[in-house]
Amino acid sequence: MMSTNDFVPVIKAVLSDKRVIVTAVIMFLFMDFCAYVVRYRKKPKAGKPKKTFVAPAPAPAENAAEGGGDDAGGDEE
């Protein structure tokens, strides 16, 4: 039976092997891609903005000729 001290060189040799590193990187990229596919949401279509028509400003009332000015109250003397 191997002791704990005998496992360290074996673990170091396994983790430093190029095939293990490449496999780990490929698996990481694959799992990241799978997570992206699961979380993917299609963006809603951006429709054309509706044209808004600005109403023309009302013509100013010609109260100055009557002498009333800004007073729109019921002072009829």
Side-chain angles (χ1 to χ4, degrees):
M1 189 159 180
M2 296 179 73
S3 68
T4 308
N5 292 337
D6 294 335
F7 281 123
V8 174
V10 174
I11 292 173
K12 183 179 177 187
V14 169
L15 293 179
S16 64
D17 188 22
K18 290 182 182 179
R19 292 173 290 188
V20 173
I21 294 171
V22 169
T23 304
V25 169
I26 289 173
M27 290 303 295
F28 175 77
L29 292 175
F30 178 73
M31 301 226 6
D32 192 39
F33 176 72
C34 289
Y36 171 77
V37 169
V38 168
R39 287 182 280 125
Y40 179 75
R41 296 282 186 255
K42 190 172 184 179
K43 293 181 182 177
K45 278 188 173 180
K48 293 181 182 177
K50 294 182 180 179
K51 293 182 180 179
T52 55
F53 296 102
V54 178
E62 302 210 11
N63 291 338
E66 296 176 7
D70 288 338
D71 187 20
D75 293 338
E76 296 180 19
E77 293 182 26

